[in-house]
Amino acid sequence: MKPSPLSCLALLLALAAGPAAAQVASPSSEGPDFGKWETSVLGEAGKEVVRAATWSASNKTLLSYDFYVDDCRGVSFSMAWIRAQPADHDLYLNHVATTLQVDGHPAIPFLSTYQVAKGEIASVLTLAEIDDFTAAIEQMEQGRTVRMRVPWDVETRANDILEDYPLDGFAAALAWARKTCWDIAGHRPGKGQPLP
C-alpha cells in the first residue's frame, strides 16, 4: 500500500525546511479524499496549514497546494521528492526555471525556489513567481493532467525533472482546502476574515 501523500509530504517538508517547518508539518487531521487528491489540516492550533496533495504518475514526487490559516489568501504550491543520496551541502536556489502544462494547453513558465539541507534526502521546489497563477489554477481545475518540468541543464536537458500529476479531484480538493482554511480562520477569537 502506498503511503498517504499528505503524511509523506509532511515528512518531506519537515526534513527539507528545518525546525520551523517541522512544527507546521506534523499531521493534525486527515481530510476527505477527492479523486486522486487527499486533503489534510497540518500543524498545531494557531499555525495550521490546510493542504491538498497528490502523487505523480511515477510515484516519485508529490505536488501540494497549501493554504496558511493566518491569511487564507497566502498559498504555497510545491513539488517534493526524496533524493537518491543525502545532500553533501546546503543548497538554496532562487529563480529556477520551471514550467507547468495542463493537457494540451501551452506550457506556463514560472520561477521556483529549490532547497535541500546538508545531510538531508528531502528536496522541495516551491513556486516563487508566475505571471498568471489564476489562469494556471483554472486550467488545473478543468484539466486531466498537469506536467511539471524542471530543466536542470537547459542546453542538454540532462537530469530534467519531468512529472505528470493527475487532476482527478483537484478542483474539489482545492475548494475543500480553501473553505476549511476560512472556516478555521473564522472560528478564531477576533480573527474572522471575510471570504474572498
Side-chain angles (χ1 to χ4, degrees), residues 32-34 37-39 51-53 67 169-178:
D33 293 350
F34 296 94
W37 286 74
E38 295 182 16
T39 60
R51 172 170 293 157
F67 288 91
F170 173 73
L174 184 66
W176 182 90
R178 182 183 295 120

Side-chain angles (χ1 to χ4, degrees), residues 40-189:
S40 186
V41 179
L42 307 172
E44 58 191 56
K47 297 180 181 179
E48 299 94 345
V49 175
V50 184
R51 172 170 293 157
T54 193
W55 285 97
S56 63
S58 72
N59 290 321
K60 293 180 182 177
T61 64
L62 294 169
L63 187 66
S64 71
Y65 194 99
D66 295 344
F67 288 91
Y68 297 93
V69 175
D70 59 347
D71 179 0
C72 294
R73 291 173 290 255
V75 298
S76 176
F77 188 63
S78 300
M79 187 171 133
W81 63 94
I82 299 293
R83 298 167 44 93
Q85 299 290 325
D88 58 3
H89 62 280
D90 290 342
L91 182 60
Y92 184 87
L93 302 173
N94 280 318
H95 308 296
V96 177
T98 311
T99 59
L100 172 155
Q101 183 176 13
V102 177
D103 300 330
H105 293 281
I108 299 170
F110 62 95
L111 298 175
S112 298
T113 58
Y114 171 79
Q115 73 180 61
V116 63
K118 181 179 180 177
E120 299 294 343
I121 60 170
S123 296
V124 179
L125 186 79
T126 303
L127 176 119
E129 298 174 31
I130 189 169
D131 287 337
D132 194 352
F133 190 56
T134 301
I137 294 302
E138 287 173 356
Q139 287 179 14
M140 289 175 64
E141 288 177 320
Q142 298 172 12
R144 292 182 312 278
T145 303
V146 61
R147 172 170 282 184
M148 303 287 288
R149 177 184 290 275
V150 184
W152 288 121
D153 186 330
V154 177
E155 293 186 22
T156 66
R157 297 227 182 252
N159 300 314
D160 278 11
I161 296 174
L162 181 62
E163 291 286 338
D164 293 330
Y165 299 90
L167 293 173
D168 174 30
F170 173 73
L174 184 66
W176 182 90
R178 182 183 295 120
K179 180 183 182 314
T180 300
C181 185
W182 286 103
D183 287 350
I184 293 169
H187 286 92
R188 290 195 181 150

